[in-house]
Amino acid sequence: MDITMCISLKMMVSTGWTRGRASELEPEQVLNVAQASRGDEKTEFVNEAREQRFQWTIQRIRLSPEEKHLAATLKPNYREELRCVVVRLERRNFSTFDSSHIILTLDKVLSFEWATDDVLFYTTLEGLRCSKVFRLDLTSSGGRITSIYEETRPDVFVEVALSGDRQILSINCNSRTSSEVMLINTTVSSLELFLVQPRQPDLLYHVEHWRKWLIILASTGPGQEYQVVQAPLSDPSMKTWVSLFSPGPGTVVKDMDVIGDHCVLVARTPTCELVLIVVPLTHPKEAYTIQLPSWACAIETKKPGLTKPRHMLELLISSPVHPPVPFCLHPEDRLLLSGTKDGSFPENQGSYTTTRLEAYSQDGTLVPVTLFHIGPVEGLRQAPLLVHVYGAYGRDLNMEFCPEKRLLLEQGWALAYCHIRGGGERGLSWQRQARVEGKQKGVEDLQACLQHLFSSGVSSPSLTALTACSAGAVPVGALCNRHAHMMQAVALQAPFLDVLGTMEDPSLPLTLEDREEWGDPVGNPKHRLTITSYCPLHNIIPQRYPSMLLTAYSGDARVPLSGVLKYTEQLKKAIQKHFTVNPKAEYEPAPNIVLNIQPRANHLGPEDFELMLDEEALKLAFLYTELGLDPPRLPRKRKR
C-alpha cells in the first residue's frame, strides 16, 4: 500500500508508503510494509502460481505537527497485536527506499499521538487490555522511551487522544461506568501531566479544547445523561464545571466535536433518528438542530487534517442499505451540504423506505425498532424478515452500510433493527437498565419487538430469522430457549453463549473488565442467580429449536471457542431428546444446527476478502434454505 502526500496524505495501492507534492512527478517512498514487518510475510501458492501476500495491513497513521515524522500501526492478519513504525520524513538525496527512513519499531502499540515533532505518546496492548502509557523522545541516536503512567484497576482501559486543535493530548482511563482523564498541554515545552477530575462512580466524561477552556461531554445532565460543560484549562476539576447545553427530554448525545467556535453534537431523538446539534460556544443559548436524511442511521466524522480548514466538519452518513454519502457541515453558516452536485440531500436513495416503530416491552417501556423495506408495511406479511439485535455495553446496534443487506432488501426481504435495552440508543440509562441484574429486560425487549412486528403485518415466525454477533447472541439465545416458535432460523457470529462459565473464570482476558456489565457470579449470589436464569448455554431444554448457523473463530480471544462447542453439543442433544421422547415430533422437520469454525480468524472474523465472501455466501445460503425461499434472482443486465 502507498500513501502519497499531496499536501495531505492519500492512499494508493502498492507495497509501501510514499509521499510527494503536486509539483513533483515521482513520489518518494518512505515506508515499505514488507520491510517494516521484518520479514513476517507469508508465501502462498494460488492457482498454481507463486504469489506473496503480506500478512500486515495498515491500521492508523499520524503525522507530527511539522510533518517531520510519521507514525503508523501495522496489524498482522488473524491477530489483534499491532506494530508501530516511526518514520523520518525529512528530505534526502535519494529517490529509492532506504531502511534509514525507519527510526524505530514498537510492538503491541494500540493508540498513539504526537505531542511535538520529536515526542510521541502511546499505549501498549497486553492481552486485550491497555494499561500503560509511554513517551518516546526521538534523538539523534534513535529514541528514548519513558513510562509515564500505569493503570492498576483491571476494569479500566487506557488510550491517548489529541484534541481537534492538536493543542491538548489526553490520556483517557475509562471503565464501563466511569472515567478519569489526564491532559498534556502540547504548547508548553514541559509537557507535564495534569488531572481533570478524579474518578467517581457513574461519572463518564470526554474532553475537548477551545481557546483557554475545556469543553467536556459529561454524564452530569438530568438522569445522569450526557450534557456539555465548560471548565477553565487552568483549573479543570468538577467544581468549576459550568453547563453549556443539555439536550431536551428523550434526546441523547452520542458524540462531540469542537469545530472552530462551535461544539457539534451527534444526537438521537426519542425515535432513534440521528440529528446534529450545533452549540455556538460564544453564545451557547443559541444552539440549533440540523435535520439529517430520514434514512440516516450511522455517522462517521472526520477530524480536520493538518491543512484542512478547522471551521468545517466532514461527515459520512449511511444506513445498512444506503452507501456512505459525504456531507460537509459549515456551522458558522448553518449549512449542511451533501456531496451531490447541487449540494442537496439525496433523500430518496433507491425505492427503500425507513420506518420507525416502537414496541411495548413487558414493563411498559417503549423499545425503538428501525425497519427497512420496499413498498408499504401492510404488504410485508409474506416477506422474509431478518431481525438484528445487540443490546450490551451501552453500544448502539451497528447500522453502517452493508452490501449484503441491500441485496436482501432488493430481493424482497424486510430488515428490522431492534434497539433493545443494554445498548446505548436511548442514552446511558438505556444501558443501566439492562446490565447485571437487569439483563432479563433485553430479552423481554427482543420478544416485544418481534411480537410488534408480527402484529403490524410484518412477516411471520415461519419467515423470520434472527442474526447477532458477539454479546448480541445472549438475548437471541435466551429467547430461543423460551420462545423457540417465534423464529425459523438464527445466524450468530462469534457468539457469546456461555455467560456463566466465562464470568466464573477470572483467567480469561475480559472477565474482570466485564463484571460491570454481566456481574460477578463467584462473589455475588444474586448475580449468579440472574446469570443462571438467562444464560443461553445453561437453559437449553428438549424442544424444537430454530435452525442455527453458528460461526466461530479459532483465534478469538474475546469469546472462548469452548463455550460455542459446549452450546452446540448440548443443543444437538436436547433436539435429539425432543424428537426421541415426543411421538408427534417425528412429523416435524428437524432443525439444522451448523457449526462453522473458521481457522485462525479473530473475533472480528476473516480479513481475507475471499474468505469474507465465502462466509457471507454461506450465511445467505443458510437463510434462504431454512426459510424455504427460492435462490436470489440475479439482477438483469441493462440493454445498451
Side-chain angles (χ1 to χ4, degrees):
M1 185 175 290
D2 281 335
I3 293 181
T4 300
M5 190 159 50
C6 300
I7 305 303
S8 61
L9 292 175
K10 295 182 180 178
M11 300 295 276
M12 298 175 64
V13 179
S14 185
T15 58
W17 292 0
T18 66
R19 69 170 181 175
R21 300 191 180 271
S23 60
E24 298 173 355
L25 295 177
E26 293 295 331
E28 175 195 1
Q29 188 180 55
V30 296
L31 175 60
N32 183 289
V33 175
Q35 183 87 17
S37 65
R38 298 200 291 253
D40 293 338
E41 67 269 0
K42 181 181 179 182
T43 300
E44 296 183 350
F45 288 89
V46 180
N47 296 328
E48 299 182 354
R50 189 175 187 275
E51 179 178 316
Q52 182 169 284
R53 293 180 178 178
F54 296 123
Q55 287 185 302
W56 298 79
T57 54
I58 301 161
Q59 293 289 299
R60 179 185 293 186
I61 308 160
R62 292 292 184 269
L63 277 172
S64 66
E66 298 298 324
E67 302 185 16
K68 292 182 179 179
H69 298 102
L70 176 146
T73 43
L74 311 177
K75 181 184 179 299
N77 293 348
Y78 314 115
R79 300 203 306 271
E80 297 195 40
E81 293 180 0
L82 298 171
R83 175 175 297 166
C84 182
V85 181
V86 181
V87 180
R88 181 182 294 108
L89 294 179
E90 295 171 326
R91 260 316 202 178
R92 299 224 169 203
N93 295 322
F94 47 76
S95 58
T96 58
F97 174 76
D98 188 299
S99 60
S100 59
H101 276 78
I102 299 178
I103 302 173
L104 284 171
T105 59
L106 306 166
D107 285 333
K108 300 183 179 180
V109 172
L110 185 64
S111 61
F112 56 99
E113 296 289 353
W114 292 100
T116 70
D117 270 310
D118 300 311
V119 179
L120 180 76
F121 288 86
Y122 64 93
T123 62
T124 55
L125 188 66
E126 302 287 343
L128 295 176
R129 285 192 64 232
C130 273
S131 59
K132 299 177 181 179
V133 182
F134 296 90
R135 168 176 170 165
L136 168 64
D137 289 82
L138 296 178
T139 64
S140 57
S141 59
R144 181 178 66 255
I145 297 174
T146 308
S147 175
I148 66 163
Y149 179 77
E150 182 172 358
E151 176 62 54
T152 57
R153 288 183 47 163
D155 60 334
V156 173
F157 193 90
V158 181
E159 66 170 354
V160 296
L162 202 58
S163 61
D165 61 8
R166 299 175 66 93
Q167 294 186 18
I168 298 294
L169 187 142
S170 61
I171 298 175
N172 305 309
C173 308
N174 297 315
S175 74
R176 303 285 188 197
T177 58
S178 64
S179 302
E180 188 169 82
V181 179
M182 290 162 284
L183 302 179
I184 296 171
N185 189 340
T186 64
T187 65
V188 178
S189 59
S190 61
L191 298 180
E192 293 182 354
L193 204 63
F194 61 97
L195 178 65
V196 176
Q197 164 63 32
R199 186 183 307 278
Q200 64 182 54
D202 290 320
L203 174 63
L204 292 163
Y205 67 97
H206 312 274
V207 179
E208 259 292 351
H209 178 247
W210 173 67
R211 298 183 181 179
K212 295 182 180 181
W213 300 87
L214 296 180
I215 305 301
I216 304 173
L217 187 63
S219 60
T220 55
Q224 289 185 296
E225 294 292 345
Y226 280 124
Q227 66 170 345
V228 181
V229 301
Q230 177 178 287
L233 182 61
S234 57
D235 183 14
S237 63
M238 194 173 177
K239 68 179 187 293
T240 69
W241 292 4
V242 176
S243 177
L244 291 182
F245 175 81
S246 292
T251 298
V252 295
V253 177
K254 304 304 301 179
D255 198 6
M256 177 183 77
D257 280 284
V258 172
I259 305 298
D261 291 331
H262 296 79
C263 176
V264 180
L265 306 172
V266 177
R268 284 196 186 274
T269 67
T271 57
C272 272
E273 291 183 272
L274 286 173
V275 296
L276 298 178
I277 300 174
V278 180
V279 183
L281 294 173
T282 54
H283 301 87
K285 291 184 179 180
E286 298 178 7
Y288 60 92
T289 299
I290 294 181
Q291 300 298 323
L292 299 178
S294 60
W295 49 263
C297 294
I299 295 182
E300 179 186 347
T301 61
K302 295 183 179 181
K303 296 284 186 182
L306 294 176
T307 60
K308 289 278 187 179
R310 301 187 187 279
H311 58 268
M312 55 178 275
L313 179 64
E314 292 181 286
L315 310 164
L316 285 175
I317 299 179
S318 65
S319 86
V321 297
H322 296 89
V325 177
F327 284 79
C328 190
L329 173 66
H330 300 266
E332 198 74 46
D333 303 318
R334 300 193 173 203
L335 285 177
L336 178 65
L337 301 177
S338 80
T340 57
K341 291 182 179 180
D342 59 358
S344 62
F345 283 11
E347 184 64 46
N348 187 24
Q349 286 205 0
S351 56
Y352 316 139
T353 301
T354 306
T355 301
R356 313 278 180 173
L357 304 171
E358 289 183 310
Y360 278 101
S361 194
Q362 186 172 310
D363 61 1
T365 300
L366 283 172
V367 183
V369 181
T370 304
L371 181 69
F372 298 96
H373 54 99
I374 295 177
V377 173
E378 297 76 19
L380 298 177
R381 174 60 69 190
Q382 301 301 319
L385 172 66
L386 184 60
V387 178
H388 305 73
V389 68
Y390 187 67
Y393 302 115
R395 297 175 187 164
D396 292 10
L397 187 56
N398 182 8
M399 298 189 71
E400 295 178 349
F401 176 64
C402 190
E404 55 267 30
K405 308 301 182 190
R406 182 165 177 162
L407 170 66
L408 289 176
L409 196 64
E410 292 172 346
Q411 296 293 324
W413 288 64
L415 307 175
Y417 289 77
C418 303
H419 308 290
I420 67 174
R421 280 174 286 185
E425 286 88 347
R426 282 193 162 171
L428 298 173
S429 64
W430 201 244
Q431 183 214 1
R432 287 194 290 262
Q433 292 179 56
R435 72 183 187 206
V436 191
E437 294 181 44
K439 276 294 174 185
Q440 297 275 13
K441 293 179 180 178
V443 186
E444 295 166 1
D445 290 355
L446 178 58
Q447 179 183 349
C449 290
L450 288 176
Q451 290 172 337
H452 183 68
L453 286 164
F454 298 150
S455 64
S456 300
V458 180
S459 196
S460 60
S462 62
L463 287 172
T464 295
L466 269 63
T467 185
C469 65
S470 194
V474 174
V476 173
L479 187 64
C480 287
N481 288 331
R482 299 177 188 181
H483 302 287
H485 63 281
M486 296 189 73
M487 68 222 73
Q488 183 70 18
V490 169
L492 302 176
Q493 180 185 17
F496 184 36
L497 296 163
D498 184 11
V499 182
L500 183 61
T502 301
M503 298 310 298
E504 283 180 327
D505 188 352
S507 68
L508 295 174
L510 293 179
T511 296
L512 297 180
E513 180 182 344
D514 279 355
R515 282 178 177 172
E516 290 181 311
E517 178 70 22
W518 306 100
D520 178 12
V522 176
N524 190 314
K526 287 186 177 180
H527 292 180
R528 184 180 187 85
L529 185 63
T530 300
I531 294 173
T532 303
S533 69
Y534 68 79
C535 176
L537 173 61
H538 292 82
N539 287 277
I540 295 174
I541 59 174
Q543 63 173 328
R544 190 199 182 281
Y545 278 85
S547 294
M548 290 194 190
L549 171 62
L550 306 167
T551 302
Y553 308 107
S554 63
D556 191 342
R558 298 174 182 270
V559 176
L561 182 60
S562 59
V564 183
L565 295 175
K566 289 179 185 176
Y567 178 85
T568 305
E569 182 181 359
Q570 291 195 26
L571 185 66
K572 288 182 176 180
K573 288 181 178 178
I575 293 171
Q576 184 179 15
K577 184 176 181 180
H578 165 71
F579 280 90
T580 301
V581 302
N582 188 348
K584 296 182 180 180
E586 65 181 63
Y587 300 105
E588 304 174 14
N592 292 309
I593 307 301
V594 182
L595 176 59
N596 176 28
I597 301 178
Q598 294 285 339
R600 300 175 62 194
N602 62 28
H603 187 67
L604 301 177
E607 298 177 5
D608 181 86
F609 183 65
E610 292 184 4
L611 292 178
M612 291 170 61
L613 289 180
D614 289 344
E615 183 177 307
E616 194 58 39
L618 175 63
K619 178 179 176 181
L620 292 176
F622 170 81
L623 293 175
Y624 271 82
T625 300
E626 297 306 325
L627 268 59
L629 305 175
D630 293 330
R633 302 180 304 274
L634 294 175
R636 293 181 179 178
K637 294 183 179 180
R638 294 181 179 178
K639 295 182 179 180
R640 293 183 178 178

